[in-house]
Amino acid sequence: MDLGIAGKTALVCGASKGLGYGCAEALVREGVNVLIVARGAEALAEAAKKLEAVASGPSKPFVKHVAADITTPEGRAAVFALQKDFDIVVTNAGGPPPGDFRDWDREAWIKAVDANMLTPIELIKATVDGMAARGFGRIVNITSSSVKAPIDILGLSNGARSGLTGFVAGVARTPVAAKGVTINNLLPGSFDTDRLKGTMAGAAKKSGQDLDAVMESRKKTIPARRFGTPAEFGAICAFLCSVQAGYVTGQNVLADGGAYPGTY
Ligand SMILES: NC(=O)c1ccc[n+]([C@@H]2O[C@H](COP(=O)([O-])OP(=O)(O)OC[C@H]3O[C@@H](n4cnc5c(N)ncnc54)[C@H](OP(=O)(O)O)[C@@H]3O)[C@@H](O)[C@H]2O)c1
C-alpha cells in the first residue's frame, strides 16, 4: 500500500535505536524526509548512516540528525533551528527508571513528568498550528502499554504517561482535527530493544535468576509467545502517519502481542 506521505517531513525523537529508530526507518522507506534526535552523537550518526542507506527512489528523502536532549528547552531549540516545519512528529524519550514509590522525591517525579508528559506537549505546541495551517499533520506519541495495564514498579511511567494520555484525548479533538491533523498514542508492550533488555536484566538480578530464563518466562505471559520487533512497531507508526489513517485520531493504539487481557 502506498501510504501517500512521500516528500513529507518528519521529526522522530529518541531515534538512534529501538522503537524510535524503527519508526524513522519505516517512514524513510515511505519516502519521508526525517530529522532524527538522540543524545548520544556517535550512535545517532550511525543511525543516520543506516537510514541514508535505506533512503532510495527518484525523490530520495533527506536524513538530518541533531544530537540533543529533547526533554530540555535547549534541545528542542536545537531541533527547530535545523528544521522549522514538520508534517509528522513522533515523540519519544527514554522511560523513567523502575522503583518503589516510597523512594521517589519531587525531583524524580518532575524529571519523569518533564520527559514523558511535558516534552510531548511542548512538541505538539510547537508544531500543531503549522500543521493545521498547511492542512496536514500526524503526531504519534510513543507511550506504553502501562497506560492501560499499569506495572507496579513503573509508577513514574504510569503516572507521567497517563497525564499525557489525558491531554492528548482533549487536544486531538480540538479544531485541529478538522484541519487534517491527527494525534494518536502508540503503546508498546514488550519489544526487543535495549530498554527491554535493561529492564529484564534488572529483574534477573533482583530475583537471582538467569537473564535468558527471565526473558523466556516473560515471553510465556504474551499470547504471541515472543517480543515484538522495532520494525513491526515502525510499520504501525508509519500507518498512523499515512493519508489512509486520516480518520483515526485521539486513539491509544496498543501493540503487545495480545498481552493486555481486556476486551476493550
Ligand atoms: N521496548 C519496550 O518493550 C517498551 C515497552 C513499553 C514502553 N517503552 C517506552 O518506549 C520508549 C522507547 O523505548 P525503547 O525500547 O526504544 O528504548 P531504547 O532502546 O533505550 O531507545 C531509546 C532511544 O531514545 C533516545 N533517548 C533517550 N532519552 C532521550 C532524550 N532525553 N532525548 C533524546 N533522545 C533520547 C536514546 O538515545 P540516547 O540515550 O543516546 O539519547 C535511544 O535512541 C521509552 O519511553 C520506553 O520506556 C518501551
Side-chain angles (χ1 to χ4, degrees):
M1 189 195 291
D2 176 357
L3 299 186
I5 47 177
K8 302 284 188 202
T9 298
L11 166 63
V12 187
C13 306
S16 63
K17 60 181 182 174
L19 303 180
Y21 178 83
C23 294
E25 185 174 317
L27 290 169
V28 166
R29 286 189 191 283
E30 290 302 318
V32 175
N33 303 307
V34 293
L35 192 169
I36 59 169
V37 189
R39 293 163 304 177
E42 209 173 306
L44 185 68
E46 276 303 310
K49 220 187 277 176
K50 267 166 62 188
L51 291 174
E52 285 280 6
V54 167
S56 62
S59 50
K60 188 173 144 83
F62 69 66
V63 178
K64 293 183 187 175
H65 59 102
V66 57
D69 183 342
I70 199 67
T71 67
T72 65
E74 298 76 23
R76 292 189 288 275
V79 166
F80 291 110
L82 201 60
Q83 176 79 34
K84 203 168 138 275
D85 296 326
F86 294 97
D87 309 300
I88 294 168
V89 173
V90 180
T91 76
N92 179 35
D100 186 316
F101 77 92
R102 293 168 188 83
D103 300 326
W104 297 327
D105 56 13
R106 181 178 165 77
E107 202 183 319
W109 274 107
I110 296 294
K111 208 168 162 201
V113 168
D114 240 346
N116 298 109
M117 178 183 170
L118 300 180
T119 294
I121 291 173
E122 287 292 344
L123 290 169
I124 292 169
K125 190 170 135 190
T127 56
V128 76
D129 290 332
M131 291 175 175
R134 293 187 299 276
F136 180 93
R138 299 286 184 264
I139 298 172
V140 178
N141 304 297
I142 300 180
T143 65
S144 173
S145 60
S146 71
V147 168
K148 279 180 84 86
I151 302 163
D152 59 355
I153 56 163
L154 290 178
L156 288 169
S157 169
N158 301 337
R161 295 191 203 272
S162 292
L164 174 66
T165 306
F167 171 78
V168 167
V171 75
R173 293 168 172 90
T174 63
V176 300
K179 305 240 168 76
V181 180
T182 70
I183 312 177
N184 293 291
N185 303 318
L186 186 46
L187 285 54
S190 298
F191 279 80
D192 194 1
T193 67
D194 286 355
R195 159 101 178 162
L196 184 77
K197 284 185 198 103
T199 316
M200 299 271 106
K205 200 170 161 200
K206 205 170 165 192
S207 65
Q209 275 181 290
D210 177 67
L211 176 59
D212 285 345
V214 173
M215 303 268 270
E216 286 313 307
S217 64
R218 167 69 83 88
K219 284 181 195 166
K220 288 197 183 113
T221 68
I222 304 168
R225 294 288 185 268
R226 66 175 179 87
F227 299 138
T229 67
E232 287 174 313
F233 191 85
I236 304 167
C237 176
F239 179 72
L240 287 175
C241 296
S242 72
V243 166
Q244 290 87 342
Y247 208 50
V248 180
T249 196
Q251 299 304 301
N252 290 286
V253 178
L254 183 61
D256 71 347
Y260 175 70
T263 306
Y264 303 107

